[in-house]
Amino acid sequence: MKQTTEHTEVEPKERKLFSLVNEFTMHLKLSAGKSSSANNTAQSYANAMVIFKKFIRRAYSRKRKVKAPYPVSILADDVLLAYYDWLSKVPPDKAKQKAAALAEAKAKATDDADHPEDPDFTPPPPLPPPRYAHSTIQHYLAAAKRFLAWAVAQNYLENFDFGKAEVRLKDGKAGGGKAYPHRKIDPNLAAIVLHYDNLTAPDAEAETQGKSNLARYHARRRRVAVLRNRAIVHVLFDTGLRVSELTGLTRDEIDRALKAVPLPEDVAVEVVGKGERRRTVWITQDSLTHIQAYLQERQDPSNILFAGKKKGSSITRQMVWKIVKDGAKAAGVSDFTGPHAFRHWLARQLFDDEEDPIPIEDVQALLGHASPTTTRTIYAPHTSKARLHKALKKARKRPEDTIQN
């Protein structure tokens, strides 16, 4: 006699939220492949998800009384709005709080020293507590959105309404949301380039005559660094490249131009930017001259254009930032100046050309944006009034001139 066995369907075990976050960050890194831009994005999103985990621990453990490990079902359609509210209020971290307290104590000590027992002296108000910058909040939200969209696409969040979560975030931010924070670019930005132009590259041979090989080695490295930094700020000023695009440049792209006598006036270089979008930028003859001097002094077979400290590696993004910040400090340029300021500078020059303004679609192509909306929002929030007035005067007609006979 046959025995039949009844099979009961077992409920699949619910996924844990943090293991899903880890799977997502691993997915980003594997998808990035060898693209430096994609790898940078993957790493920045991975760092952002650390903050998302911190939010879950604090918001759900303390306020909603949910214990770890957290199941994915705790994510409701208010999660993005709750995350935004939390980011807007929470101090970034203890290190920044400590730095702010130290700055306040230092300012108070200075005031006390400058105004001893002065009854008329009113001390300045205390410094506001540190908060995440608007751009940082937007980046963290973008990472959280991408994670949620990925989890929904993988069917890990069956009951989660991503569209509703986005609408609730948008509606919640409508009352107190901020527009894109447009930082004013220092009009003397070019002073950074001039600073490096005027910086004397050490004469390694003269400085180390009669000294050890090690001394000659270090003197030569200092000379190469000065020539490299000079070439970097010139290329940034010419092209408005993103830092990741600059660090990904290779010698192949300009080698033929460097062998030409004389050097060409401009050389077209193809770069790969965000979203693996390719575009062409033009490096001027002046920049080529500085690149040529740097490569001749470097004397190595590496195909990397701007080399870093480690053999066979390109210069790091952090080092490019340091080069620009050091130049800005030496030249007396705004403290908020970084490599991206050159991008804003180039866009403003293109938009504000009174004689022959560049159409926004062309600026979009030059900067490598996916949409002209990005170009308009970030780089051209205010149209030049002088250019608008000139266009209006040109288009105006007298009433009698418009009558068609």
Side-chain angles (χ1 to χ4, degrees):
M1 186 174 178
K2 278 188 177 179
Q3 289 186 345
T4 56
T5 308
E6 276 192 30
H7 292 282
T8 56
E9 198 170 321
V10 180
E11 285 281 326
K13 195 173 181 181
E14 187 174 9
R15 300 291 299 264
K16 301 305 176 188
L17 181 56
F18 285 3
S19 66
L20 201 60
V21 170
N22 295 338
E23 189 177 327
F24 166 68
T25 55
M26 183 60 68
H27 159 74
L28 289 178
K29 290 174 183 177
L30 291 174
S31 302
K34 294 182 179 180
S35 166
S36 60
S37 177
N39 272 292
N40 290 334
T41 302
Q43 186 56 55
S44 67
Y45 274 15
N47 295 339
M49 293 310 294
V50 172
I51 305 301
F52 183 74
K53 285 182 178 179
K54 187 177 177 181
F55 155 70
I56 293 294
R57 288 191 194 97
R58 294 192 177 181
Y60 285 84
S61 290
R62 297 179 185 178
K63 293 185 179 180
R64 306 193 185 188
K65 308 299 181 186
V66 180
K67 293 183 179 180
Y70 310 102
V72 294
S73 57
I74 65 171
L75 296 178
D77 56 38
D78 67 340
V79 65
L80 288 175
L81 181 58
Y83 190 32
Y84 170 75
D85 288 339
W86 182 81
L87 288 169
S88 302
K89 296 169 186 174
V90 71
D93 54 44
K94 289 183 179 179
K96 288 193 177 182
Q97 292 181 64
K98 188 176 179 181
L102 191 64
E104 187 171 349
K106 189 176 179 180
K108 185 178 183 306
T110 305
D111 289 335
D112 291 344
D114 292 343
H115 307 275
E117 299 178 7
D118 183 353
D120 298 324
F121 171 65
T122 304
L127 295 172
R131 292 287 184 263
Y132 284 117
H134 174 75
S135 56
T136 304
I137 291 175
Q138 296 309 309
H139 175 65
Y140 288 165
L141 282 173
K145 285 181 184 179
R146 186 160 173 183
F147 162 66
L148 293 170
W150 170 82
V152 168
Q154 300 297 319
N155 294 320
Y156 294 144
L157 300 177
E158 292 181 3
N159 300 318
F160 181 78
D161 190 333
F162 181 70
K164 192 173 179 181
E166 283 198 304
V167 169
R168 290 195 64 173
L169 172 66
K170 186 177 180 180
D171 290 347
K173 288 169 65 179
K178 299 178 184 177
Y180 185 89
H182 295 280
R183 283 180 175 169
K184 188 176 179 181
I185 303 301
D186 196 310
N188 295 320
L189 184 71
I192 298 173
V193 182
L194 297 178
H195 162 72
Y196 281 105
D197 280 350
N198 296 327
L199 205 61
T200 305
D203 187 338
E205 294 299 324
E207 280 187 14
T208 59
Q209 198 168 10
K211 294 185 179 179
S212 66
N213 289 337
L214 184 61
R216 282 197 291 274
Y217 168 77
H218 284 300
R220 186 171 167 276
R221 277 181 69 100
R222 287 195 300 273
R223 178 176 175 79
V224 170
V226 170
L227 296 174
R228 179 199 63 192
N229 298 351
R230 184 180 296 163
I232 282 174
V233 293
H234 271 274
V235 171
L236 286 172
F237 190 78
D238 281 352
T239 62
L241 286 174
R242 299 180 179 95
V243 176
S244 58
E245 294 166 349
L246 178 91
T247 58
L249 290 175
T250 62
R251 294 170 72 160
D252 284 344
E253 292 151 340
I254 59 169
D255 231 14
R256 186 179 299 175
L258 292 175
K259 291 173 183 175
V261 180
L263 290 172
E265 187 176 336
D266 280 313
V267 60
V269 175
E270 188 178 71
V271 295
V272 181
K274 280 186 177 179
E276 298 299 298
R277 288 186 294 275
R278 295 180 177 272
R279 75 180 191 281
T280 301
V281 297
W282 284 266
I283 298 176
T284 65
Q285 187 182 64
D286 196 27
S287 291
L288 285 174
T289 302
H290 295 299
I291 291 171
Q292 189 178 57
Y294 158 60
L295 292 178
Q296 285 174 349
E297 192 67 36
R298 204 173 89 188
Q299 295 178 351
D300 69 60
S302 173
N303 191 38
I304 294 166
L305 184 56
F306 295 118
K309 284 185 177 180
K310 292 182 180 179
K311 189 175 180 181
S313 66
S314 61
I315 191 169
T316 63
R317 300 165 70 198
Q318 292 83 356
M319 191 62 198
V320 176
W321 268 88
K322 187 177 186 306
I323 290 166
V324 175
K325 296 292 277 185
D326 287 351
K329 186 177 180 181
V333 176
S334 168
D335 287 343
F336 296 111
T337 298
H340 216 71
F342 289 101
R343 207 166 153 75
H344 284 264
W345 171 268
L346 178 63
R348 291 309 314 166
Q349 305 314 302
L350 296 171
F351 280 124
D352 289 346
D353 187 335
E354 303 296 343
E355 297 300 321
D356 190 19
I358 307 287
I360 195 167
E361 293 80 10
D362 291 346
V363 179
Q364 171 203 350
L366 284 168
L367 296 178
H369 290 147
S371 164
T373 305
T374 306
T375 314
R376 163 62 68 186
T377 305
I378 300 177
Y379 296 97
H382 309 294
T383 305
S384 167
K385 289 181 180 179
R387 178 152 56 84
L388 282 176
H389 189 205
K390 184 177 179 180
L392 183 61
K393 284 173 71 176
K394 186 178 179 180
R396 273 181 181 148
K397 291 186 175 83
R398 293 180 302 172
E400 55 268 31
D401 293 337
T402 65
I403 303 299
Q404 296 181 4
N405 295 324

